[in-house]
Amino acid sequence: MFENHYGESTAYITLSGVTPFANSNPIENIFLGKKFTKELRKNNMLSNSFMNVCYEKQQAFVTGTVLKWKLREDITDVYLIEEKKLFVKGKNFWVYCVGIIEC
């Protein structure tokens, strides 16, 4: 489940205007840690799913803000829950966990 990504469609995705290196498919919030579900509730964010958006360089996104996630012409508001720097196979990646805001 966590390995599922948009694959070739990633080239058509942007988060706040920046195309990611990888983007997971939406994951149900039941897999989201309690710390993060509490963060969403604390800020009155109605979200049933989240995604991980990955970049090869750190972005200027601010944790706790609403950003625009876009796939081609479809635009969705997302809430930036956490930024995490990962070291994978000798390379750094920045992963942004975003809650998909329900309308």
Side-chain angles (χ1 to χ4, degrees), residues 26-53:
I27 305 163
E28 291 181 37
N29 278 359
I30 59 171
F31 297 104
L32 189 60
K34 288 182 182 183
K35 171 186 169 185
F36 304 122
T37 54
K38 185 177 178 181
E39 175 74 17
L40 288 168
R41 280 194 309 266
K42 179 179 82 172
N43 291 292
N44 297 317
M45 294 292 157
L46 180 59
S47 173
N48 292 320
S49 56
F50 70 99
M51 296 183 294
N52 293 307
V53 186

Side-chain angles (χ1 to χ4, degrees), residues 8-68:
E8 294 175 9
S9 294
T10 303
Y12 303 103
I13 294 174
T14 61
L15 179 60
S16 199
V18 184
T19 301
F21 170 75
N23 197 122
S24 72
N25 286 334
I27 305 163
E28 291 181 37
N29 278 359
I30 59 171
F31 297 104
L32 189 60
K34 288 182 182 183
K35 171 186 169 185
F36 304 122
T37 54
K38 185 177 178 181
E39 175 74 17
L40 288 168
R41 280 194 309 266
K42 179 179 82 172
N43 291 292
N44 297 317
M45 294 292 157
L46 180 59
S47 173
N48 292 320
S49 56
F50 70 99
M51 296 183 294
N52 293 307
V53 186
C54 307
Y55 291 89
E56 293 180 297
K57 295 181 180 179
Q58 188 174 24
Q59 302 300 307
F61 306 147
V62 177
T63 300
T65 61
V66 175
L67 304 170
K68 299 285 184 197

